[in-house]
Amino acid sequence: MPVSTADIASIVNQTLKQYRPYKGFAFRSPAITVTGGYCVNQLGDILQELGATHVLLVADKMVWQLGLVSGCEAAITTAGLGLTVFSDVEGEPDSAMIAQGLAALKTSEADFVLGVGGGSALDAAKAIAVIGDYQGPLADFKVGGLASRRVGLGAIPTTAGTGSEVTDITVIKDLVYNIKVPIKGPALVPDMALLDPALMLGVPAGITAATGVDTLTHAVEAYVSRQVNPLSKAYAYHAMETLIRALPVAVGCGEDMDMRYDMAVSAYKAGLAFSNAGLGLTHAIAHQIGSRYHIPHGVANAILLPYVMAFNALCCEAGYAEVASALGVSRESMTQRERCNAAITAVRQLVIDLGLPTSLAGFGVVEHDLPQLAEQAMQDICLIGNPRQVTPVQIVTLLEQVLSGEFPEGYC
Ligand SMILES: NC(=O)c1ccc[n+]([C@@H]2O[C@H](COP(=O)([O-])OP(=O)(O)OC[C@H]3O[C@@H](n4cnc5c(N)ncnc54)[C@H](O)[C@@H]3O)[C@@H](O)[C@H]2O)c1
Ligand SMILES: [Fe+2]
């Protein structure tokens, strides 16, 4: 039977659609990364290299009030670039804040958006740069699709935690549905990330601890993600290796520039790892409890991570055994199970040592809320990477443990 041109085209299209390279992956990162103490002084040159003419600087309000943005402002104006400052990022960003920032972008006619602050300010800047004129609920973006933007985008983190300066994610609270929505897409990867540890020297101990454990959570979840790739694994491993040494010192001795530098680079590496490999159940639940009970993101992760590791261990004992090596708690004489347990114990101990909470008690969580939290966590895109399949009932059981602070003895 003769095969028509249309038949051939159809077969080719089908094949292209179904074709997935074996173990294939794409890895995205910022075009330019600049690091080092006081490297903010190089900002003007880099922005010129990226073709910026007018910058909308989106800053955390507190960071701006502390004067930490003045070096950026000076570098931008000295380079002869236009500058508009939007310094109204207060707390974790929501849809109303993004609408205000979008208005500032339109009025200023800026061609480059630069976020300066913790993950909240960076996420706000990313959303302002990418969402454009969209008027509907943010939840519409849940499944991604943000592939292009019309303005340049840069990020200067002032906390070492989220890795937002490299990731293809922004997390915005949708006030229509009252949930935190992680929005994902290639356009959200900044063109430039600038890591200046001098901007982090004054971060209070509690915030250093919480944001640092966010970094650890990114590394651990990416390392055992279902979608992990060799580059993400390498970045996550190195992030953990550095963090376990640097974080306690950065919390106890905030002005140690070397440890702040190491933490900034750890956050960056863990960000690269998870942006390209996904996260897991800890983040899927953290987004829900963070939004509902106003628990800072890093604190929510610190509470949940050991419990989620105990739950996931059934499916990724070998992965956690390698995490134990990265954290320096693995010994040659140990069995795989002992290494896995050593990793979980090390994470629990770190949370305790840093003075972070170990249960949800005292945050206003009641048993009655748990089924709804579980249903919402099941919808969170971060769950896709989780190594163990999970049901709403299992999430409720896990949350009951976290609420009571009773840590499971086996792999629950
Ligand atoms: N985009 C991503 O890939 C990603 C990943 C993880 C988390 N997040 C999101 O990031 C947000 C949390 O970011 P965060 O943990 O960095 O906290 P944050 O940005 O909310 O900052 C926490 C506090 O630290 C203060 N602060 C920041 N820098 C400071 C400095 N140098 N000195 C003194 N105070 C300083 C801020 O004013 C704020 O009060 C959450 O909304 C979370 O969901 C995003
Ligand atoms: Fe996070």
Side-chain angles (χ1 to χ4, degrees), residues 60-63 66 68 91-93 117-121 123 126 158-159 161-164 167-171 180 199-204 207 211 214 218 274 283 287 297-298:
D60 178 281
K61 193 168 206 159
M62 167 78 83
V63 167
L66 287 171
L68 291 169
E92 298 185 354
S120 295
D123 278 8
K126 288 162 74 168
T158 61
T159 59
T162 67
S164 179
T167 69
D168 64 353
I169 293 175
T170 178
V171 187
K180 266 176 105 166
L199 299 176
M200 300 171 183
L201 295 176
V203 182
I207 296 175
T211 51
D214 187 25
H218 296 157
F274 89 80
H283 270 80
H287 289 147
H297 179 67

Side-chain angles (χ1 to χ4, degrees), residues 39-399:
C39 69
V40 86
N41 296 327
Q42 297 167 32
L43 180 62
D45 292 342
I46 300 155
L47 289 172
Q48 280 177 328
E49 188 184 325
L50 289 167
T53 63
H54 191 116
V55 177
L56 175 70
L57 195 157
V58 176
D60 178 281
K61 193 168 206 159
M62 167 78 83
V63 167
W64 187 74
Q65 285 168 348
L66 287 171
L68 291 169
V69 181
S70 57
C72 302
E73 291 173 319
I76 292 167
T77 48
T78 306
L81 307 178
L83 172 65
T84 301
V85 178
F86 175 77
S87 58
D88 286 342
V89 181
E90 233 182 330
E92 298 185 354
D94 59 37
S95 38
M97 189 192 288
I98 302 309
Q100 281 175 21
L102 279 169
L105 179 61
K106 267 192 192 163
T107 315
S108 67
E109 297 184 5
D111 52 15
F112 196 97
V113 178
L114 175 66
V116 184
S120 295
L122 304 192
D123 278 8
K126 288 162 74 168
I128 291 164
V130 170
I131 289 174
D133 297 328
Y134 189 73
Q135 301 284 331
L138 290 172
D140 288 357
F141 290 109
K142 249 182 185 169
V143 288
L146 291 170
S148 66
R149 62 178 138 77
R150 279 176 287 179
V151 292
L153 178 62
I156 304 184
T158 61
T159 59
T162 67
S164 179
E165 65 275 13
V166 301
T167 69
D168 64 353
I169 293 175
T170 178
V171 187
I172 308 292
K173 185 167 182 179
D174 185 336
L175 294 174
V176 178
Y177 296 104
N178 201 27
I179 50 165
K180 266 176 105 166
V181 185
I183 304 167
K184 195 170 164 68
L188 288 159
V189 180
D191 303 313
M192 177 210 79
L194 190 147
L195 315 180
D196 185 342
L199 299 176
M200 300 171 183
L201 295 176
V203 182
I207 296 175
T208 305
T211 51
V213 174
D214 187 25
T215 288
L216 176 65
T217 312
H218 296 157
V220 171
E221 294 213 292
Y223 198 83
V224 297
S225 165
R226 279 185 207 214
Q227 299 159 327
V228 77
N229 61 71
L231 287 185
S232 285
K233 248 189 154 160
Y235 278 119
Y237 192 94
H238 285 290
M240 290 186 277
E241 236 179 4
T242 310
L243 176 143
I244 198 68
R245 189 178 37 76
L247 180 55
V249 186
V251 170
C253 185
E255 292 192 3
D256 187 320
M257 181 83 111
D258 289 325
M259 295 303 117
R260 291 289 189 186
Y261 176 84
D262 284 352
M263 279 309 301
V265 176
S266 288
Y268 177 94
K269 286 179 182 169
L272 275 183
F274 89 80
S275 180
N276 291 285
L279 288 165
L281 182 58
T282 309
H283 270 80
I285 303 177
H287 289 147
Q288 318 315 321
I289 61 172
S291 160
R292 186 134 167 187
Y293 310 103
H294 307 290
I295 305 173
H297 179 67
V299 174
N301 281 333
I303 295 169
L304 292 164
L305 180 60
Y307 292 86
V308 172
M309 287 177 80
F311 174 80
N312 280 341
L314 203 60
C315 294
C316 58
E317 193 182 74
Y320 287 157
E322 290 169 15
V323 167
S325 302
L327 298 178
V329 292
S330 162
R331 302 284 169 268
E332 255 183 44
S333 58
M334 287 177 169
T335 63
Q336 178 172 286
R337 180 162 188 143
E338 285 168 340
R339 284 167 207 242
C340 171
N341 286 340
I344 299 171
T345 304
V347 169
R348 281 186 80 197
Q349 191 59 52
L350 181 69
V351 170
I352 294 168
D353 290 346
L354 298 180
L356 292 165
T358 54
S359 88
L360 273 175
F363 286 98
V365 184
V366 289
E367 294 236 0
H368 178 260
D369 297 343
L370 303 187
Q372 194 189 18
L373 289 169
E375 288 299 340
Q376 287 173 343
M378 292 295 293
Q379 303 303 317
D380 192 289
I381 51 167
C382 293
L383 197 62
I384 299 167
N386 199 61
R388 181 171 173 185
Q389 281 183 349
V390 57
T391 64
V393 173
Q394 286 171 319
I395 297 180
V396 170
T397 307
L398 189 143
L399 279 169

